[in-house]
Amino acid sequence: MATRVCCLRQLRWTGPSPRGSPLIRRRLSGTHSGEAELPLGGVRVLDLTRVLAGPFATMILGDLGAEVIKVERPGSGDDTRSWGPPFVGSESAYFLSVNRNKKSLAVDLKHPRGTQIITELAAVCDVVVENYLPGKLDQMGLGYHQLSRVNPRLVYCSISGYGQTGPQCRSPGYDSIASAVSGMMHITGPEDGDPVRPGVAMTDLATGLYAHGAIMAALLQRQRTGRGLHIDCNLLSSQVSCLSHIASNYLNAGKEARRWGTAHESIVPYQGFKTKDGYIVVAAGNDKQFVKVCQVLDLPELIEHPKYKTNKLRVQNRKDLLGKLSDRFLQENTADWLRRFQGSGVPVGPINSIQEVFSDPQVKHNGLIQEMKHPTVGRIAVPGPAVRFSSFAASRPTPPPLIGQHTVQVLRDTLSYSDDDIRTLMETGAVSQNEAS
């Protein structure tokens, strides 16, 4: 085994250029799992993440053609595998939502052979993504400085709650806590009510998007420099950076934020209104659109009213105006209001239930329902990729893997382990293979 590790290391960086080795030439040509016609075909990602922010980032990389090897604990796997109900068969719907286009390698990182396998994989991967508590992987010999010595071209992305350094760096990262600490909850909720957690883990998801973009940028830089780097991506920084104008209002004008429900603090009317059978959101961003709103609502007396002629006046007299508009919206159904506003030039939309979302013609047209066949539970559907490209189409997705579904495949095909070596690893408990796969 030691001899093989040495050979892998020599393949990775001996000689005048790492691009000269047969392994690197083969991988750059896109001949392994990632499809060559996709942007990340030929890029291999070692995914040491679990729950949401990291898996979301690596799923996007997989959608773009990267080969993603997801490392999981034998037996239990990613924490979200047990987050239910609902379950689809034995699989949690939560796990299924963010783990397509990945291979699952079940490795015990507390086993010395387990950490050796990860080191060997890092030698032949382009990217490592991890979301362990800062310093934890360093203690195991799997930190950036250790693995970059094995593979100087490695892009290593660390996702944490608060960053790799600083007074809170050792605190565990959870979306709800970071959402609170970052101010996100402070600005979310009813105008006169308590702070509210957003309906999905937006801080985790924003961090995953930042991580995905940072990894893409790092791969581009590596093209110029020939060397990898370390990325520090964390929940707190991601969410604070997404405070946008709320942060600017405070930093430049000293204005503290407050909660507005569905409304906008600087534009009126720009919010949701209750109708006879549901809700509608109206966004009148200028005076001309406000006139149109009044015409659609058959409230012509509001158009020339001295309190409502400009947006500044409407903001100052928000309560009176919204009371009049709210009374009118309650008189008809949402569908009737949508028909009335059609062609008016005023942006409007219903507040849809999730069932209504996935029945929406535009959602279907945009390919946001992605179906695939799972190896044990049959047909599943998940939200599809959000972005389309003109020169290529996303490949047919592979379903989220079973725990350890690809252990033997990765060890044999990626690391050239013999069947005897693999059998020994399984007998010692360093790895496991899913029997159902």
Side-chain angles (χ1 to χ4, degrees):
M1 188 71 70
T3 301
R4 179 171 56 252
V5 176
C6 179
C7 290
L8 280 170
R9 291 180 179 178
Q10 289 175 353
L11 268 175
R12 190 63 183 179
W13 71 75
T14 56
S17 168
R19 289 177 179 269
S21 76
L23 175 63
I24 300 302
R25 284 201 305 271
R26 184 169 70 250
R27 291 183 50 245
L28 288 175
S29 71
T31 55
H32 68 66
S33 173
E35 294 188 24
E37 69 271 15
L38 296 177
L40 295 185
V43 171
R44 182 179 287 137
V45 178
L46 183 59
D47 182 0
L48 302 178
T49 70
R50 62 273 190 211
V51 187
L52 184 54
F56 186 55
T58 56
M59 182 180 70
I60 298 172
L61 299 175
D63 287 341
L64 294 174
E67 177 188 16
V68 180
I69 301 173
K70 181 180 179 70
V71 176
E72 300 190 73
R73 294 186 301 270
S76 57
D78 190 313
D79 295 347
T80 60
R81 287 187 181 273
S82 63
W83 287 10
F87 290 94
V88 184
S90 60
E91 302 293 321
S92 79
Y94 198 117
F95 177 84
L96 296 177
S97 70
V98 287
N99 285 289
R100 64 174 174 262
N101 292 325
K102 300 178 185 180
K103 298 174 180 178
S104 176
L105 171 69
V107 177
D108 182 359
L109 295 188
K110 295 181 180 179
H111 194 291
R113 294 295 300 279
T115 56
Q116 182 181 344
I117 289 169
I118 300 305
T119 301
E120 292 180 42
L121 282 170
V124 293
C125 282
D126 300 279
V127 178
V128 167
V129 190
E130 60 91 7
N131 63 350
Y132 282 74
L133 201 66
K136 183 67 174 177
L137 288 182
D138 295 274
Q139 296 170 7
M140 302 166 66
L142 301 175
Y144 168 67
H145 293 294
Q146 293 139 325
L147 293 186
S148 64
R149 287 196 292 269
V150 175
N151 179 1
R153 290 173 54 82
L154 188 65
V155 171
Y156 190 109
C157 179
S158 295
I159 298 175
S160 62
Y162 301 94
Q164 296 299 299
T165 59
Q168 283 190 269
C169 71
R170 300 287 296 173
S171 299
Y174 289 87
D175 172 271
S176 58
I177 308 303
S179 180
V181 174
S182 68
M184 178 67 165
M185 284 193 191
H186 176 70
I187 60 173
T188 306
E191 184 175 351
D192 299 316
D194 294 330
V196 170
R197 177 184 176 275
V200 294
M202 288 307 304
T203 302
D204 267 341
L205 295 170
T207 305
L209 289 170
Y210 266 116
H212 148 253
I215 290 166
M216 299 290 277
L219 289 171
L220 285 173
Q221 181 175 351
R222 192 183 71 172
Q223 287 290 102
R224 295 195 298 269
T225 67
R227 295 192 64 84
L229 51 77
H230 185 221
I231 298 167
D232 177 355
C233 193
N234 65 85
L235 304 185
L236 178 65
S237 296
S238 297
Q239 189 57 74
V240 170
S241 74
C242 287
L243 292 178
S244 61
H245 72 282
I246 297 296
S248 184
N249 289 349
Y250 173 75
L251 294 172
N252 297 292
K255 184 175 182 180
E256 179 57 81
R258 52 171 290 191
R259 291 180 287 282
W260 288 99
T262 63
H264 194 295
E265 67 171 322
S266 303
I267 309 172
V268 176
Y270 199 104
Q271 67 179 72
F273 293 93
K274 188 171 176 55
T275 67
K276 207 171 190 178
D277 65 344
Y279 295 88
I280 187 172
V281 175
V282 178
N286 56 53
D287 295 337
K288 183 180 290 187
Q289 289 178 341
F290 173 68
V291 170
K292 288 290 187 180
V293 170
C294 296
Q295 291 172 344
V296 171
L297 268 61
D298 295 326
L299 296 173
E301 66 276 12
L302 301 182
I303 297 174
E304 298 299 328
H305 197 293
K307 289 185 177 181
Y308 313 137
K309 286 186 68 67
T310 67
N311 181 68
K312 181 179 179 180
L313 290 168
R314 292 193 292 275
V315 171
Q316 291 172 354
N317 297 283
R318 173 192 301 267
K319 188 173 182 179
D320 290 342
L321 175 58
L322 293 179
K324 293 180 174 66
L325 298 180
S326 296
D327 289 344
R328 181 69 182 99
F329 275 110
L330 281 169
Q331 295 173 15
E332 297 189 37
N333 295 333
T334 300
D336 295 329
W337 285 124
L338 292 173
R339 281 192 292 270
R340 282 173 171 263
F341 274 102
Q342 193 168 7
S344 68
V346 179
V348 299
I351 297 181
N352 281 333
S353 67
I354 304 304
Q355 179 183 13
E356 290 166 334
V357 168
F358 289 106
S359 299
D360 186 281
Q362 190 66 47
V363 169
K364 293 180 178 179
H365 172 80
N366 288 357
L368 293 173
I369 304 173
Q370 193 167 64
E371 298 184 353
M372 59 199 81
K373 187 176 180 181
H374 189 274
T376 61
V377 301
R379 176 195 166 278
I380 63 169
V382 297
V387 179
R388 291 184 174 187
F389 299 86
S390 63
S391 62
F392 66 89
S395 61
R396 179 177 295 179
T398 59
L402 306 173
I403 302 172
Q405 180 179 344
H406 304 93
T407 297
V408 171
Q409 177 187 342
V410 170
L411 294 177
R412 179 185 294 143
D413 298 347
T414 306
L415 295 181
S416 301
Y417 276 42
S418 70
D419 289 343
D420 288 342
D421 290 333
I422 296 171
R423 189 178 304 111
T424 299
L425 287 170
M426 294 179 70
E427 290 172 350
T428 63
V431 304
S432 67
Q433 169 74 25
N434 194 295
E435 297 301 325
S437 57

